[in-house]
Amino acid sequence: MVETLEHLIRRAADHPRQTRTPLYRELLRSETFLLTLDAPIRQEQVLRVSHPDETFPIWVDKDPELGGIWVPVFPARDAVADYVAARNMAPTPGKEFLWMEHKPGTVFSLMNGVKCFAGIRLYLDENCSVSLPWSEVRILAEGALPPEGPEIYDLPVTHVVLPLSSRAAFGSVSVAPHGPQGKLLCLPEAGHFRADDTRKLVRMPPNSQGDVWMACRHFLQVLRFACSLEDAEPRHYTNDLLSSLLGFRMYGEAEALCEWLIGRGRRDQARRILKAAVRHFPSEPGIARMLRELEFPH
């Protein structure tokens, strides 16, 4: 079963636009591993069992661009060791890196306790990993399979001005399973994105070429790029950025941005945007939770 999961992870990494249903199904019936930093296990110990209400540290990676937290999840113990070795990681004094094994399907619900959680990264080696965003992890936590095809979103801001001097590139993208190919817009100067980022798309304003799409992550890069060229008011940019993150259901990244705003004395700005988001997305518990934590900090 380990070999099957590793094969499916590698196939998803090599062919990010192909169906992931076999991978999702195998994840729900395979054991997975997390990396933790804890007190050394005595030589005579074989394992350490966590109790239901126990909290424990896990190793995470912070997105340097958007601030969200990505949790590496491993299909085998050897992959955990490879991850530590490849990054030349050293534990703090009195601690050591340990792998934590989890029964099939249980790792996904654990992610509810990760602050600013953006998603998990299935890790085989430094050249092979697959990202599953929060929206897919949430479905897997319920024991269900995420739907095929990219997540589709409408433009989350009232307008976006693309710099006229910027060079645009077009590619093709599958907007629906077995459907026609759509046009994928990219502004190379704004930033780069991974192929699996095209599994989350935003519809751009239509033009003479018909419907045009952009990877949601790249849209956020374009917002930042346009702001830098226009010397725009930073407050307007952060308004658009936070509104876009919420509109794309990138709640971990939105939570990280709220923390950034609060740290700079802009709590009212974050509160105002979150209140507007609650009105627009009343059924989304993630937004209500962020607003509640903002209003009643621990």
Side-chain angles (χ1 to χ4, degrees), residues 37-57:
L37 185 65
D38 208 343
I41 292 180
R42 299 190 306 273
Q43 188 172 3
E44 66 271 17
Q45 284 182 289
V46 178
L47 54 83
R48 179 182 297 154
V49 179
S50 297
H51 299 291
D53 297 328
E54 184 180 358
T55 60
F56 48 84

Side-chain angles (χ1 to χ4, degrees), residues 129-163:
S129 64
V130 173
S131 300
L132 302 185
W134 168 88
S135 51
E136 294 183 0
V137 175
R138 178 182 61 85
I139 296 173
L140 289 167
E142 298 171 352
L145 301 179
E148 274 303 325
E151 299 175 26
I152 300 298
Y153 297 95
D154 292 323
L155 200 64
V157 294
T158 54
H159 70 281
V160 58
V161 179
L162 300 181

Side-chain angles (χ1 to χ4, degrees), residues 216-237:
C216 290
R217 185 180 186 91
H218 188 55
F219 177 83
L220 300 171
Q221 294 172 331
V222 170
L223 278 182
R224 180 187 59 196
F225 179 61
C227 176
S228 68
L229 289 183
E230 296 176 4
D231 196 24
E233 167 61 44
R235 185 175 296 270
H236 295 159
Y237 163 66

Side-chain angles (χ1 to χ4, degrees), residues 156-225:
V157 294
T158 54
H159 70 281
V160 58
V161 179
L162 300 181
L164 294 176
S165 60
S166 297
R167 181 174 58 87
F170 287 91
S172 61
V173 65
S174 297
V175 181
H178 313 298
Q181 294 283 302
K183 288 188 177 295
L184 182 69
L185 172 62
C186 172
L187 271 64
E189 293 176 87
H192 301 284
F193 56 94
R194 293 160 48 116
D196 58 2
D197 288 324
T198 60
R199 298 181 68 85
K200 189 184 281 279
L201 298 172
V202 57
R203 188 197 307 268
M204 301 300 290
N207 58 23
S208 58
Q209 301 189 49
D211 285 341
V212 177
W213 305 86
M214 186 178 286
C216 290
R217 185 180 186 91
H218 188 55
F219 177 83
L220 300 171
Q221 294 172 331
V222 170
L223 278 182
R224 180 187 59 196
F225 179 61

Side-chain angles (χ1 to χ4, degrees), residues 4-298:
T4 301
L5 180 56
E6 290 181 347
H7 167 73
L8 291 171
I9 293 173
R10 191 170 298 281
R11 189 175 74 175
D14 292 341
H15 307 284
R17 298 185 182 184
Q18 289 187 2
T19 177
R20 286 187 176 179
T21 297
L23 172 61
Y24 298 142
R25 187 176 290 114
E26 192 63 33
L27 280 169
L28 290 176
R29 62 189 184 194
S30 297
E31 295 172 338
T32 51
F33 299 81
L34 295 175
L35 173 62
T36 185
L37 185 65
D38 208 343
I41 292 180
R42 299 190 306 273
Q43 188 172 3
E44 66 271 17
Q45 284 182 289
V46 178
L47 54 83
R48 179 182 297 154
V49 179
S50 297
H51 299 291
D53 297 328
E54 184 180 358
T55 60
F56 48 84
I58 59 173
W59 188 267
V60 300
D61 294 321
K62 184 175 181 179
D63 186 329
E65 194 170 36
L66 296 176
I69 297 300
W70 290 85
V71 178
V73 174
F74 307 89
R77 304 171 193 173
D78 290 346
V80 183
D82 292 344
Y83 180 88
V84 173
R87 301 186 176 205
N88 295 316
M89 294 161 55
T92 55
K95 302 285 186 179
E96 68 179 22
F97 290 117
L98 303 171
W99 52 260
M100 299 177 62
E101 181 177 354
H102 296 277
K103 293 181 179 179
T106 59
V107 72
F108 305 110
S109 59
L110 295 177
M111 299 299 109
N112 290 329
V114 178
K115 196 171 181 62
C116 301
F117 176 68
I120 67 173
R121 286 211 171 99
L122 303 172
Y123 180 94
L124 276 187
D125 55 53
E126 283 297 289
N127 298 314
C128 184
S129 64
V130 173
S131 300
L132 302 185
W134 168 88
S135 51
E136 294 183 0
V137 175
R138 178 182 61 85
I139 296 173
L140 289 167
E142 298 171 352
L145 301 179
E148 274 303 325
E151 299 175 26
I152 300 298
Y153 297 95
D154 292 323
L155 200 64
V157 294
T158 54
H159 70 281
V160 58
V161 179
L162 300 181
L164 294 176
S165 60
S166 297
R167 181 174 58 87
F170 287 91
S172 61
V173 65
S174 297
V175 181
H178 313 298
Q181 294 283 302
K183 288 188 177 295
L184 182 69
L185 172 62
C186 172
L187 271 64
E189 293 176 87
H192 301 284
F193 56 94
R194 293 160 48 116
D196 58 2
D197 288 324
T198 60
R199 298 181 68 85
K200 189 184 281 279
L201 298 172
V202 57
R203 188 197 307 268
M204 301 300 290
N207 58 23
S208 58
Q209 301 189 49
D211 285 341
V212 177
W213 305 86
M214 186 178 286
C216 290
R217 185 180 186 91
H218 188 55
F219 177 83
L220 300 171
Q221 294 172 331
V222 170
L223 278 182
R224 180 187 59 196
F225 179 61
C227 176
S228 68
L229 289 183
E230 296 176 4
D231 196 24
E233 167 61 44
R235 185 175 296 270
H236 295 159
Y237 163 66
T238 51
N239 283 350
D240 286 346
L241 178 58
L242 184 52
S243 297
S244 298
L245 290 170
L246 294 170
F248 297 153
R249 303 178 74 195
M250 299 172 70
Y251 297 137
E253 293 88 341
E255 188 175 2
L257 179 56
C258 284
E259 289 188 348
W260 184 87
L261 290 171
I262 292 169
R264 283 154 180 78
R266 294 159 66 178
R267 180 183 295 268
D268 288 342
Q269 182 184 5
R271 182 186 293 112
R272 185 172 60 254
I273 298 172
L274 288 174
K275 284 184 175 180
V278 167
R279 291 194 297 270
H280 284 91
F281 310 103
S283 62
E284 290 292 354
I287 301 176
R289 178 180 57 80
M290 277 188 280
L291 181 59
R292 187 167 57 251
E293 292 182 355
L294 186 66
E295 299 278 13
F296 307 103
H298 297 299

